[in-house]
Amino acid sequence: MTHRFPIKEIARQAALGTATVDRVLNGRAHVSAQTRNRVVAAITELELQEQQLTARGRRMFVDIVVEAPRRFSDEIKRTTNAILDTVTAGVFRPRFVFQETMGAGEIEAVLARIVKRGSHGVCLKARDTPDVRDAINALDRAGIPVVTLVTDIPASRRAAYVGVDNLGAGRTAAFLVAKMLGQSKGTVFATRSQDAFFGEAERLRQFSETLGQSAPGLKVIDIVGGAGLPGKTADLFNRVLAKHGPPAAIYSMGGGNAAIFDALAARTLCDLVFIAHDLDAENRRLLEKGKLSFVLQHDLKTDMRHALMAIAARHGLARPAPEILTSDLQIVSPFNMPS
């Protein structure tokens, strides 16, 4: 495998040992495909970031740890690499750890490894649990600031939260549903990926409260646990659909929307108010085809700039950052979709 970087630098980028990287680079046996992919990805990331090395400023290794479906993780990675040159507080080197689901102990183990090997900061999308809070506190004690992304962990010693105003998002979704359905009676299915994601819980609470005030004839049914993955989401959705019958509207906070629409289409229930979050590739296709009514979108580029600047601020390389850094919410229809 050709490259122009020292093995130690590749190992640091990939979060692997130098001996493991050496085996991969020299094509030796007893190396998993996943490990090889991590080394290839690390070299690609180093090449993308190499142009920054001529810039003045301190080199900052930042770990971006995300539990989310791949479609959203891919957006985070693409956006982060796209904005690196625009953040002038330092020369940032992101290292990505993405998993679609992280079970008990997995996220804590990832964060513990970061404490052990060192980092200038962590950008984290994870569940709000006592063990995760403890892991964030351990990072902070080690001098590694943590910025929570999209979903907050407020009872921890995180440095800042960046992302959408989740309470405002819930109110906006309720406003749209109430305006479109008036004083109709029926159910609204609200889908969430995980119960322990604080941001989705905030959205649901505000959505339910606001809808109860403006459209009291609509009852909200919480569907949680699909992790935004097609199979799990479809199974949960179909069970609730069989029990409660057709909904009047859907507010999807956790993704898996193609699977939800397929479950509806199988019962010829296609003409529904359907509001989703995040203009990823899947939601873009669904919106273009008229399968979604609206997508609530926030500016991920702004979020990632805020995250990097908040980390830089903790190292004295930028002005102190506010604890909460939210990005604007946009209501996207098929007619105002950004390119």
Side-chain angles (χ1 to χ4, degrees):
M1 186 183 301
T2 59
H3 65 93
R4 58 181 179 278
F5 304 103
I7 288 177
K8 185 177 180 180
E9 189 170 7
I10 298 171
R12 190 174 184 185
Q13 182 72 25
L16 295 168
T18 54
T20 301
V21 172
D22 182 73
R23 288 200 300 273
V24 172
L25 295 176
N26 289 287
R28 298 192 180 101
H30 308 299
V31 178
S32 69
Q34 182 181 13
T35 298
R36 291 183 187 277
N37 290 338
R38 284 175 66 178
V39 172
V40 170
I43 292 172
T44 300
E45 289 158 12
L46 289 171
E47 289 171 344
L48 289 171
Q49 299 159 14
E50 193 176 42
Q51 59 185 323
Q52 285 191 295
L53 296 181
T54 57
R56 293 181 180 179
R58 180 176 171 184
R59 186 183 300 186
M60 307 278 286
F61 283 91
V62 176
D63 292 276
I64 300 177
V65 182
V66 173
E67 178 186 1
R70 182 172 177 177
R71 59 182 177 272
F72 187 62
S73 297
D74 286 346
E75 287 293 315
I76 291 173
K77 186 171 185 176
R78 181 188 62 79
T79 300
T80 302
N81 285 327
I83 59 96
L84 289 176
D85 287 340
T86 70
V87 184
T88 58
V91 180
F92 288 91
R93 284 291 189 75
R95 300 181 292 205
F96 301 97
V97 180
F98 294 155
Q99 286 185 217
E100 293 197 313
T101 59
M102 290 187 180
E106 287 184 280
I107 185 65
E108 297 94 321
V110 169
L111 298 179
R113 287 196 296 270
I114 292 172
V115 170
K116 186 175 181 180
R117 75 162 187 265
S119 176
H120 292 100
V122 174
C123 184
L124 178 66
K125 181 184 182 294
R127 308 179 201 190
D128 183 9
T129 66
D131 288 343
V132 172
R133 288 176 222 142
D134 289 343
I136 292 172
N137 296 343
L139 284 159
D140 184 75
R141 289 193 297 270
I144 302 172
V146 177
V147 175
T148 52
L149 173 67
V150 179
T151 182
D152 200 5
I153 306 178
S156 69
R157 292 168 60 175
R158 55 101 172 101
Y161 163 74
V162 302
V164 67
D165 172 3
N166 286 296
L167 295 176
R171 284 193 291 268
T172 301
F175 170 81
L176 292 171
V177 169
K179 283 296 182 183
M180 295 185 76
L181 294 180
Q183 296 304 308
S184 300
K185 293 185 178 181
T187 58
V188 178
F189 290 179
T191 67
R192 296 186 290 142
S193 62
Q194 298 287 357
D195 194 45
F197 279 139
F198 182 81
E200 291 182 7
E202 283 190 305
R203 292 176 193 174
L204 176 66
R205 175 166 57 85
Q206 197 62 56
F207 176 76
S208 299
E209 289 180 6
T210 304
L211 194 65
Q213 295 166 2
S214 55
L218 296 173
K219 176 186 176 182
V220 177
I221 295 175
D222 182 23
I223 305 174
V224 60
L229 303 177
K232 289 184 177 181
T233 301
D235 288 344
L236 280 170
F237 191 85
N238 278 317
R239 287 202 294 271
V240 175
L241 196 57
K243 180 179 179 180
H244 293 281
I250 297 165
Y251 176 34
S252 172
M253 293 165 266
N257 298 315
I260 292 173
F261 188 84
D262 288 345
L264 294 169
R267 293 169 171 80
T268 63
L269 302 172
C270 299
D271 189 20
L272 296 175
V273 177
F274 195 155
I275 299 170
H277 270 270
D278 303 318
L279 199 60
D280 56 31
E282 178 177 282
N283 284 345
R284 184 179 288 272
R285 288 193 297 270
L286 292 172
L287 192 61
E288 287 173 342
K289 295 178 180 179
K291 297 177 180 180
L292 296 178
S293 307
F294 301 103
V295 171
L296 302 183
Q297 168 73 350
H298 64 283
D299 187 355
L300 196 55
K301 288 185 177 180
T302 297
D303 295 338
M304 297 315 300
R305 286 194 195 96
H306 281 161
L308 297 180
M309 289 300 291
I311 290 169
R314 285 291 295 267
H315 292 280
L317 301 175
R319 293 180 180 179
E323 187 177 335
I324 305 294
L325 292 155
T326 57
S327 52
D328 292 335
L329 186 72
Q330 181 183 8
I331 301 172
V332 182
S333 75
F335 306 103
N336 68 335
M337 231 185 326
S339 58

